[in-house]
Amino acid sequence: MKRVLHVSTECYPAAKAGGMGDVVGALPKYFPEQDIQASVVIPRYDLPWFQEQPFVSVYQGLFYLGLEPVQYEILALDSGILGYPFYCVNIPGKFDRNSVYLADNGEGFRDELQRNISFQRAVLHWLNDSGIGFDLVHCHDHQAGLIPFFMKHGYEFKRLRRMPSYLTIHNAAHHGLMPWSARHLLPDFHDNDGGLLEWDSVINSLAAAIKCCWRFSTVSPNYLTEIQDRLPSLNTLLKDEWAKSRGILNGIDTTVWNPRTDPKIKQKLGRSWKQFKGKNRDYTCRELGLDPDLPLFVFIGRLAQQKGADLIPPAIEEVLARGGSANFIILGTGSKDIEAKLQECQQRHDSRVKSLLMYSEDVAHQLYASADFLLMPSRFEPCGLNQMFSMYYGTIPIVRSTGGLIDTVKDIGEKGCGIRFNDATSSDLANAIVRGLMQYADQKGFAKLIRKCAKQDNSWQQSISIYAEEYRMLWSV
Ligand code: GLC
């Protein structure tokens, strides 16, 4: 059995800030079917999950970050709870904090650069020095982006020269930039190779990964085309390296997301979708003081420009002004500005709009089960998982035509089961919501739509065999 190590800064349920956490937490479960064992390594954060789990120390080491000695320890999860081998890197002073990326003020940690480099160095040393013997290293996003370069060119990591590295891009908007003045924090390499780390005169972790990895993927086929065509700064590199690339759609983890067994929802799915949706919506609306007889639209996610969350308050205003009868629940945290606008929106329409400004997996599950429609007005979306969760829970997705949303949601007008719109404007979103209301008015047709959504195959099966094919391609060269 071949062994693959996934290197990431997130892995659900241990640590999650976004969809990458869900994906890294789910993907490894399905590889044994392909005769591949996938393991995961992430930093050890000071989050509740880590405190509750049994770990054993499997390796310890030391390196110098500039002049600072950094002691690290590799811990292995001593239980089968995740269904795959899980490791974490304990680096005291760097990761023992109760948040994955953000400080209390909502901004990135000030020592982000030192943290990113330390994590990657610890993983490289462990792989090289302990002789643990994986057959491939699969890096996720820029946070693991320096690894492919150092496997090939780092003086200290000679044993990793012939080990294939694979990169998956979950979000190409973040590049992990570092000034050249940070070079002394990196492991040693020959000056002649330095160009591979660089893009636009600075160290660019994502660019370095794209150049040095053996092959790479994006989390949907359409997103790959989009970034090759128009990703600011890196599009030309992505075009040059197109022969190494592949768009592989994410799937959803149906052991965590299953309306028939989900322990986080009030009413589980039995024989009747009508009862499932009705009872859950009833419960949620009563809890929040909303009229349970109106159709329910929800938004779940980061309150960020990327997600188009800023378009929601004006779109709601427009729908209500046009006489639309509906409830809206928004769940998420993020930009203070968007949070304030959502709060204002709730104040103006308290009986119709609820802004739940928090992060809660439990509430998210209950909302997917309760809602009639999910709003995803993303400006860009490499894949998007929420539309897949939502369809599986019989909730019609209303999405902007971008990235993976194009690959996963077809419009009703094209024999699909979702609603798509083109422009990232509040009026386009409002029109799409009104289209949703019209669908809802035809209750018989709507019931059919729900069943059609739930039948979409968004499982991991197909994508796992593509990943396995990718790996095998590298093992055969
Ligand atoms: C990032 C992307 C999202 C994708 C997720 C998992 O969060 O923004 O579109 O679904 O990664 O790959």
Side-chain angles (χ1 to χ4, degrees), residues 183-199:
R183 175 173 174 169
H184 67 292
L185 304 177
L186 298 174
D188 284 336
F189 56 89
H190 197 286
D191 282 344
N192 289 350
D193 298 322
L196 289 166
L197 285 174
E198 187 175 280
W199 195 256

Side-chain angles (χ1 to χ4, degrees), residues 19-20 22-23 250-252 376 383-390:
M20 185 170 84
D22 288 304
V23 169
N250 285 335
I252 56 172
M376 281 187 88
C383 178
L385 300 172
N386 293 8
Q387 79 279 17
M388 301 197 235
F389 298 145
S390 107

Side-chain angles (χ1 to χ4, degrees), residues 18-20 23 170-171 219 250 302 306-307 380-385:
M20 185 170 84
V23 169
H170 297 260
N171 189 342
V219 286
N250 285 335
R302 261 184 309 122
Q306 179 202 334
K307 300 289 176 189
F380 69 92
E381 195 62 80
C383 178
L385 300 172

Side-chain angles (χ1 to χ4, degrees), residues 8 86 100 111 135 188 234 249 290 347:
S8 169
F86 175 86
V100 179
D111 58 349
D135 299 294
D188 284 336
L234 290 188
L249 207 55
L290 295 169
Q347 272 154 16

Side-chain angles (χ1 to χ4, degrees), residues 169-226:
I169 303 177
H170 297 260
N171 189 342
H174 304 293
H175 298 177
L177 302 182
M178 300 174 188
W180 271 109
S181 58
R183 175 173 174 169
H184 67 292
L185 304 177
L186 298 174
D188 284 336
F189 56 89
H190 197 286
D191 282 344
N192 289 350
D193 298 322
L196 289 166
L197 285 174
E198 187 175 280
W199 195 256
D200 288 344
S201 312
V202 290
I203 298 173
N204 182 316
S205 308
L206 188 64
I210 294 168
K211 292 182 206 177
C212 300
C213 70
W214 291 34
R215 284 186 63 78
F216 69 96
S217 65
T218 59
V219 286
S220 72
N222 194 55
Y223 185 61
L224 179 59
T225 317
E226 282 179 6

